[in-house]
Amino acid sequence: MELATLIDQDGPPRTLLDIHLCRIAEGERLDLLLHFIQNCQASEERLVHFIWEAWDYIKRSRLWITRYRDLEELRSEIEHDDRIKNMLCLHEEFAAKNQAAAKKIYQNWRCQPDEAMPEAIQPPQYSSMLLYRLVRLSKLCSLDRAVDCISDEINKRQTISKVSKSTYVLPRDVQEVLKKIEKKNASEAAAPSKRSLQVVIEAKRRKTLHLSNDISHGVADENEQQQEQQGGQDSDEADVEEEEDEGLEEEREGKEDETEVAQREHVEDDRDEEVESEEEEEEEEDLDKAEDAMDDLERIRGSCSCPEQFKKSLRAGGKASSPRFDNAQEEENELKLIGTTVKLGLHKLCHAHLRLLASDAGGLKNNLAGNILRKRLNCVWQCREDLNRLKKEQCIWFRASTPVPLYRFMPRPTPAFHFSARLIFERFAGAGTWTQWKQDGTIIIPKFFSHLVDDRELFQMIEDEFDMYQHHYRPNQEGTMGWLRIMYHSLTQQAIRQDPAYYAVSVASRPDKQWRLISYPYYTKDTRRVGEKTGFHHLDLNVSEFLKTGKGENIVQGCTSLDDETNEDCTTLIIGFHRSIRPWWARVVKRKAAKHQQLPSGQTTNIPPELYTSEDSKLFGSFSPSPCGRGGIRITRPDIAHGSTATSHKRRRLVFPWYTGIADDLETLDNQESETWSQIAACHRDMVACQKSPSGRSAGAYGRPSTAFPAAVKLPSTSAIGDALMGARRWNDPMAERERDRLFGSNEASAKAFVREVRARIITRLRESFSVLLDYEQDRFGADSFFEAKAAVSSEY
């Protein structure tokens, strides 16, 4: 009976062990217990790995939505910090150790552990114990020798009773190999220090073979290498070769004393062991060069048994001096060569041709053992449809694609930026607002922009600017639903987009806490006509994709109201819908399937009455009015269903900053189907409308203007953060990072002082820029100018 079965039995462990071991011969007890302990260690590692994967699946799939308000509530319910967190940390420790071990194995064998072992003995999982022993083995012998010894131990284990009969490598197999090699090395260390050339050659075979990429022009035999003095070499190289020859002669005959050898080798320490070690290394280098030259000469002379057609194809391609795949046709031809050779059998190629194929056609580093090159060539062929992804994930396989940098020193890695989302949110939204935000998924922060709307003169400028755009707007469709689709880059919008407090609250409200944001240019809302149709209900995401992959979950929405809204003229939404979206959608899927209808498939999801029925309203809540006062802002999760009241009864003006996250590459945005950072930055720079909306839908569907508004005026810089939000500065700019640290830092007084400073500059720049706008609009439009017409009306009174 296996000791592992005792775990499931009732009773004290000591008693159960004593009863079981008394039936086992004394000589076998130690091995049995050690084997049991090692298996338990491996089981613990696998158990915590499963726990980590299970918890990660819960987070990725957002499974808590149907039962809990948020992930924090689930953590509290299951006592995450007391019971599960330690297991997750233990897995991360295992993973870190395994990664470090794999790195050491790569340094010694030039390949990852799963590449080192042939498929026949490949284990289903590399435990920490197995990796630890492979690290030790990689320091003692070459990969080829290690594989042979391990295979022998596996075969031997099959004949031993009461041990695992697994055909793949186990930690005990590596341990047995280590014992034999260490025993042999110990005996060699005890032997006389004088060695023959054959011993030097054997020592060389134990090291990793580093093949040169340069083709030698000839091969001299071993005796010629020791005697030949090349006149074409400089004096330093000739001296070194002479020292090598004399060192070898001294090692064989023992005639020269140790001090003279040390002087020739320029060694400060004159101990005999160190002299011999240096001589061995020099001889090994000569042997490496000889083997490389022999391989290359064999290739040049065509004396190998490789298929002639393959050799002609490879020769026609020429020797690669730089990474390949520079153009589509070349890549296609080289992949065809790899595919043909894979089908023919990579094992049929000599090592020289295998290296050339890996370098010339695969762009791979080729100073590796044959089995590794064959595996990587097979992988290149299998991943031919998405080769760039393979090159990105396994970049260490491929030859460098960038020139040698001119900088002498590499900078230290940028430290990760951390902050408390609750602290920052309540710093600028008010005490207790975080709880409301997490509970409702939407929040209104009143009087956020009171510094803009309470100043009568300043607000008159804002109103005049809206009126100016309305004056120049000619809708290309009957119903506009209040959207002012030519107003993308007004001074008012630029002032709101650059506000540091609005930015900080938006960052804190994002689930991923992404602080690199850019404002996606979007038009405004301005309902002027009483009775204008304004009603709609939707979600700014594809629900199916959102629930499946989380796509769009981080794009928190916000708007600024410039008027006092009422229950008859305002945004409507379903409060707390983020907790109900999954069960609601399950009902939608079921209803659509029963009627054999397709699910909505666009970038956004329209919600007509047939999609959100009266029964759904009873279960999950109804659309309710959410009026926002003048100068207030609303922030809403993307999975909150929202819309607008049906018709307008008064003027209602809204500005939408649409802060969108930027990935670590500083180019990709939250929604990869929308535009990139460079494209959005260009829109801000040129003051034009985007080609796509933040959801990824073509902006042409909304009546996108083809050119910038002729009288648009750029608001000058007000802060480094404001520049970054407008695409005028990258977020890795030191000034932007410095202001970010102050805004999100622990000193609340300093952060709020910074906001006041920036807002004061915004007001100053806004006043200055408005005077420019007033003159510029009249100059560009003349008699059709809004301000010209307004001045004429004022003069009549």
Side-chain angles (χ1 to χ4, degrees):
M1 180 175 63
E2 290 284 344
L3 282 179
T5 61
L6 299 179
I7 297 175
D8 298 327
Q9 297 183 20
D10 295 330
R14 173 173 290 187
T15 303
L16 293 174
L17 274 176
D18 289 343
I19 295 173
H20 181 76
L21 292 175
C22 69
R23 305 168 187 164
I24 306 298
E26 284 192 19
E28 300 177 3
R29 292 176 186 175
L30 177 60
D31 289 337
L32 185 67
L33 288 170
L34 290 177
H35 179 65
F36 170 71
I37 291 172
Q38 292 173 359
N39 283 348
C40 286
Q41 289 175 329
S43 299
E44 179 192 27
E45 183 178 353
R46 189 163 177 80
L47 175 63
V48 296
H49 190 179
F50 266 104
I51 292 174
W52 191 93
E53 292 291 351
W55 181 247
D56 184 64
Y57 184 87
I58 290 173
K59 292 192 296 182
R60 282 188 290 108
S61 303
R62 302 167 57 87
L63 297 181
W64 70 82
I65 291 179
T66 57
R67 196 179 305 171
Y68 301 94
R69 290 194 304 268
D70 51 33
L71 188 59
E72 294 300 326
E73 184 179 354
L74 170 60
R75 284 194 175 103
S76 176
E77 177 75 17
I78 62 176
E79 299 178 354
H80 172 275
D81 290 348
D82 296 331
R83 301 172 58 186
I84 298 177
K85 187 176 180 179
N86 292 337
M87 304 290 277
L88 300 180
C89 292
L90 185 58
H91 166 72
E92 292 174 357
E93 290 178 10
F94 279 127
K97 290 179 181 178
N98 292 351
Q99 186 175 6
K103 184 177 180 180
K104 292 180 181 177
I105 291 171
Y106 181 84
Q107 292 172 347
N108 296 326
W109 282 343
R110 307 303 297 171
C111 65
Q112 298 295 336
D114 57 343
E115 298 175 328
M117 297 295 107
E119 292 184 8
I121 63 173
Q122 187 81 238
Q125 183 178 4
Y126 283 84
S127 64
S128 296
M129 180 61 70
L130 178 58
L131 288 172
Y132 168 72
R133 291 178 178 175
L134 285 174
V135 169
R136 291 175 54 197
L137 185 59
S138 70
K139 297 177 180 178
L140 297 177
C141 68
S142 68
L143 174 59
D144 291 338
R145 183 183 175 191
V147 170
D148 291 341
C149 294
I150 291 172
S151 298
D152 291 342
E153 284 300 326
I154 293 174
N155 293 333
K156 181 180 177 181
R157 175 164 46 81
Q158 307 303 313
T159 64
I160 302 176
S161 60
K162 297 183 180 180
V163 296
S164 172
K165 297 299 187 292
S166 301
T167 58
Y168 54 81
V169 60
L170 298 176
R172 62 165 291 149
D173 302 323
V174 184
Q175 182 66 17
E176 292 300 319
V177 174
L178 284 169
K179 288 180 182 178
K180 292 179 180 179
I181 292 179
E182 288 171 346
K183 182 177 179 181
K184 183 177 179 180
N185 290 347
S187 63
E188 289 179 356
S193 60
K194 302 301 181 181
R195 298 184 182 182
S196 65
L197 185 59
Q198 292 180 340
V199 175
V200 176
I201 295 174
E202 178 61 24
K204 178 259 175 194
R205 291 174 184 167
R206 291 199 302 266
K207 296 183 180 289
T208 304
L209 182 61
H210 296 284
L211 296 170
S212 171
N213 288 331
D214 298 324
I215 299 178
S216 301
H217 296 290
V219 179
D221 61 30
E222 194 172 65
N223 293 329
E224 289 174 342
Q225 286 184 351
Q226 296 176 359
Q227 297 173 2
E228 185 179 48
Q229 300 295 323
Q230 297 181 358
Q233 296 178 336
D234 61 27
S235 60
D236 290 339
E237 292 179 348
D239 290 343
V240 172
E241 288 189 1
E242 181 179 355
E243 290 164 4
E244 292 173 358
D245 295 337
E246 292 178 356
L248 289 173
E249 184 180 353
E250 184 255 359
E251 185 180 46
R252 289 193 296 269
E253 299 177 4
K255 293 181 179 180
E256 296 182 10
D257 74 14
E258 298 171 1
T259 305
E260 292 175 352
V261 174
Q263 291 174 347
R264 289 192 187 93
E265 299 295 336
H266 304 287
V267 179
E268 295 179 0
D269 193 340
D270 61 354
R271 290 177 300 178
D272 185 52
E273 291 83 354
E274 294 187 9
V275 172
E276 288 181 352
S277 175
E278 290 192 6
E279 290 172 349
E280 290 173 11
E281 291 178 359
E282 291 161 359
E283 290 177 12
E284 289 166 12
E285 290 177 4
D286 289 341
L287 290 171
D288 279 339
K289 294 176 181 177
E291 284 196 12
D292 286 348
M294 185 64 74
D295 279 344
D296 294 329
L297 187 62
E298 180 184 45
R299 174 180 59 80
I300 293 171
R301 294 173 176 173
S303 60
C304 65
S305 58
C306 297
E308 191 62 32
Q309 183 179 1
F310 164 78
K311 287 191 282 188
K312 288 181 179 179
S313 300
L314 188 62
R315 197 177 300 120
K319 179 127 179 103
S321 60
S322 62
R324 309 308 291 264
F325 307 137
D326 292 333
N327 60 69
Q329 186 61 47
E330 184 178 2
E331 177 180 345
E332 182 180 352
N333 293 337
E334 292 168 344
L335 285 175
K336 283 182 180 178
L337 177 59
I338 294 176
T340 301
T341 313
V342 167
K343 294 174 183 176
L344 178 68
L346 291 170
H347 62 281
K348 295 183 180 180
L349 299 187
C350 68
H351 190 66
H353 277 127
L354 187 65
R355 288 180 58 207
L356 281 177
L357 179 67
S359 176
D360 282 25
L364 296 163
K365 296 176 182 177
N366 66 355
N367 57 334
L368 299 167
N371 64 324
I372 299 173
L373 290 178
R374 285 188 284 271
K375 281 186 178 181
R376 294 186 179 180
L377 281 168
N378 271 312
C379 193
V380 168
W381 176 245
Q382 292 168 5
C383 299
R384 59 190 179 277
E385 299 297 333
D386 195 4
L387 192 57
N388 287 332
R389 180 178 178 182
L390 175 67
K391 294 173 77 172
K392 184 176 180 180
E393 293 177 351
Q394 301 292 348
C395 58
I396 60 174
W397 290 9
F398 296 88
R399 300 167 66 184
S401 58
T402 54
V404 177
L406 298 178
Y407 299 110
R408 175 177 292 180
F409 307 110
M410 293 299 292
R412 291 186 297 179
T414 304
F417 177 66
H418 300 287
F419 65 92
S420 168
R422 177 193 289 269
L423 176 68
I424 299 303
F425 196 91
E426 295 193 344
R427 173 179 292 176
F428 298 108
T433 53
W434 179 257
T435 302
Q436 181 185 349
W437 162 252
K438 301 297 285 185
Q439 172 69 25
D440 297 342
T442 183
I443 191 170
I444 292 175
I445 307 174
K447 298 187 178 301
F448 199 84
F449 283 101
S450 58
H451 58 288
L452 295 182
V453 299
D454 289 350
D455 185 315
R456 180 174 297 182
E457 181 185 359
L458 192 62
F459 189 66
Q460 183 61 55
M461 296 177 185
I462 294 173
E463 289 193 311
D464 283 347
E465 190 173 33
F466 267 86
D467 292 343
M468 179 194 71
Y469 277 96
Q470 284 284 9
H471 172 80
H472 289 284
Y473 184 35
R474 183 177 64 183
N476 57 5
Q477 53 191 6
E478 282 190 20
T480 65
M481 299 185 69
W483 300 112
L484 187 50
R485 291 194 171 100
I486 63 168
M487 191 174 180
Y488 276 86
H489 297 281
S490 67
L491 293 171
T492 304
Q493 289 168 288
Q494 294 178 67
I496 290 174
R497 289 166 180 164
Q498 296 185 38
D499 187 79
Y502 203 169
Y503 155 72
V505 172
S506 299
V507 170
S509 64
R510 289 174 59 97
D512 64 351
K513 299 170 69 174
Q514 175 60 269
W515 54 271
R516 289 186 294 261
L517 305 182
I518 187 170
S519 178
Y520 207 109
Y522 201 74
Y523 42 77
T524 61
K525 188 157 197 167
D526 183 8
T527 58
R528 299 185 65 177
R529 294 186 294 109
V530 175
E532 183 177 7
K533 181 182 177 182
T534 56
F536 69 93
H537 291 148
H538 78 170
L539 284 152
D540 283 303
L541 45 76
N542 181 297
V543 179
S544 296
E545 284 294 321
F546 167 73
L547 295 177
K548 184 186 299 183
T549 66
K551 178 183 176 183
E553 65 181 343
N554 294 308
I555 309 179
V556 175
Q557 301 161 13
C559 68
T560 302
S561 177
L562 299 176
D563 298 280
D564 287 319
E565 296 182 336
T566 64
N567 286 340
E568 291 75 29
D569 291 89
C570 66
T571 296
T572 61
L573 44 77
I574 305 175
I575 295 176
F577 191 69
H578 58 295
R579 298 192 302 275
S580 307
I581 187 171
R582 187 177 292 274
W584 164 67
W585 194 248
R587 290 169 56 85
V588 171
V589 172
K590 187 176 181 180
R591 288 198 297 261
K592 291 287 186 181
K595 297 179 181 179
H596 303 286
Q597 296 176 343
Q598 295 291 327
L599 290 170
S601 58
Q603 285 89 352
T604 61
T605 303
N606 190 33
I607 308 179
E610 60 269 21
L611 202 67
Y612 197 76
T613 64
S614 58
E615 187 176 352
D616 291 334
S617 298
K618 293 178 182 178
L619 290 172
F620 310 120
S622 303
F623 285 92
S624 57
S626 179
C628 182
R630 189 170 76 162
I633 65 171
R634 176 187 291 101
I635 298 178
T636 306
R637 288 174 56 114
D639 46 358
I640 296 290
H642 61 278
S644 177
T645 47
T647 57
S648 63
H649 301 81
K650 61 187 293 292
R651 192 171 193 184
R652 176 172 163 236
R653 288 161 292 190
L654 299 172
V655 174
F656 306 87
W658 274 108
Y659 292 127
T660 304
I662 308 168
D664 292 341
D665 62 4
L666 302 181
E667 188 66 24
T668 308
L669 303 186
D670 278 331
N671 185 357
Q672 296 186 17
E673 295 177 1
S674 63
E675 296 177 80
T676 63
W677 180 91
S678 295
Q679 292 170 321
I680 298 303
C683 290
H684 281 293
R685 180 196 65 214
D686 302 334
M687 307 190 78
V688 297
C690 301
Q691 296 289 341
K692 296 181 180 180
S693 69
S695 64
R697 186 180 179 186
S698 171
Y702 305 104
R704 171 187 177 273
S706 57
T707 61
F709 179 65
V713 174
K714 187 79 171 178
L715 188 71
S717 173
T718 58
S719 67
I721 283 180
D723 291 346
L725 291 170
M726 302 287 283
R729 191 190 297 254
R730 292 281 191 178
W731 275 109
N732 57 358
D733 180 276
M735 292 301 295
E737 290 183 348
R738 178 177 293 183
E739 290 183 358
R740 174 207 65 187
D741 293 344
R742 184 180 178 189
L743 185 65
F744 289 86
S746 58
N747 190 331
E748 181 172 337
S750 177
K752 290 185 174 180
F754 170 71
V755 171
R756 290 193 297 270
E757 294 166 9
V758 174
R759 284 180 169 177
R761 285 197 292 271
I762 288 175
I763 291 174
T764 301
R765 302 287 192 274
L766 188 57
R767 293 180 187 277
E768 296 170 350
S769 300
F770 185 80
S771 64
V772 175
L773 172 65
L774 193 151
D775 295 335
Y776 192 45
E777 193 266 348
Q778 295 180 70
D779 180 63
R780 294 303 306 273
F781 291 100
D784 296 324
S785 164
F786 163 76
F787 290 108
E788 186 80 23
K790 182 181 179 182
V793 172
S794 299
S795 65
E796 293 180 1
Y797 295 94

